[in-house]
């Protein structure tokens, strides 16, 4: 049976009762099959699994969709129960930030937090790393699972854990996709039929990039052919998000809007050699 707690005090008691090795999966709720894959991986690598459900206001800017972000705790709890999650921590904003957000001590993301998503959404990674750090301290995990769809977030969390000597294993879980190839996201529900059709240029661009010795050019051509998509960025970086190599393994990262819904995706590519990819 999955135990649900809302306060830090109750979390501490429930966490103390968990046996063996513990893995945590931080989420903002509105759970889907991509999260389910994270839970399954957590079950494989640990004896006990903790899921956190918290829509973190620190990572939303004033013009973003904090208020309309889907909140579906009952359905989220049902999925956690079905996947054998041991403990769910679903705090309120006041529980996480009892003294408010003005003057709050935060985790600075460093220069890597100012590129890509960080350039498009200033302060985003400070918000992400601050809440993840708090959740790690509260849940005291041996390991944590993050989806590769948010690849820059994954890289930033890995860097934080390494730089701050947190001693937590960070496991990457491959991006889960819907049958039409679109990466699963809680924001997909906001897409109209026409917007979703336009959004499918993103997985097409990934496939084209994986099949090309020049993945960036291939992705750019595919995205440019879809007028219903407003591309924020399409880049190829090193697998650690450094500068792309002249040849060899790299990472393609895409951010674009279909209507008002902002979508991100990424995939492994190889520069200078044609490979067959599966849009993952």
């Amino acid at each position: 049976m999955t135990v649900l707690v809302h306060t830090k005090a109750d979390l501490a008691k429930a966490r103390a009762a968990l046996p063996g090795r513990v893995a945590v999966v931080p989420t903002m709720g509105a759970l889907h099959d991509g999260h389910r894959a994270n839970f399954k991986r957590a079950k494989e690598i640990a004896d006990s699994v903790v899921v956190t459900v918290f829509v973190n206001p620190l990572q939303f800017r004033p013009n973003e969709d904090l208020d309309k972000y889907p909140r579906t705790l009952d359905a989220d709890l049902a999925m956690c129960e079905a996947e054998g999650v041991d403990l769910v921590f679903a705090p309120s904003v006041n529980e996480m930030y009892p003294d408010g957000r003005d003057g709050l001590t935060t985790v600075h993301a460093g220069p890597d937090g100012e590129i890509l998503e960080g350039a498009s959404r200033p302060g985003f990674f400070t918000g992400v790393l601050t809440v993840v750090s708090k959740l790690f301290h509260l849940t005291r995990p041996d390991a944590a699972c993050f989806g590769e769809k948010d690849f820059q977030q994954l890289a930033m969390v890995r860097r934080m854990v390494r730089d701050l000597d947190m001693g937590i294993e960070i496991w990457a879980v491959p991006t889960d996709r819907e049958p039409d190839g679109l990466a699963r996201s809680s924001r997909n529900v906001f897409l109209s039929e026409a917007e979703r059709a336009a959004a499918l240029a993103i997985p097409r661009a990934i496939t084209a990039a994986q099949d090309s010795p020049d993945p960036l050019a291939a992705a750019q051509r595919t995205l440019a052919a879809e007028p219903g998509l407003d591309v924020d960025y399409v880049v190829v970086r090193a697998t650690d998000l450094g500068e792309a190599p002249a040849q060899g393994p790299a990472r393609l990262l895409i951010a674009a809007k279909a209507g008002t819904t902002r979508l991100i995706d990424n995939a492994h590519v190889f520069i200078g050699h044609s490979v067959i990819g599966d849009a993952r």
Side-chain angles (χ1 to χ4, degrees), residues 34-58:
H35 296 101
R36 195 188 300 272
N38 286 7
F39 304 160
K40 290 182 184 298
R41 176 60 58 85
K43 292 280 288 183
E44 293 170 356
I45 65 172
D47 304 295
S48 301
V49 176
V50 179
V51 170
T52 65
V53 176
F54 180 61
V55 181
N56 177 35
L58 293 190

Side-chain angles (χ1 to χ4, degrees), residues 248-264:
R251 203 82 189 183
L252 172 76
L253 300 104
I254 297 170
K257 277 187 176 180
T260 61
T261 302
R262 192 169 187 277
L263 303 170
I264 62 172

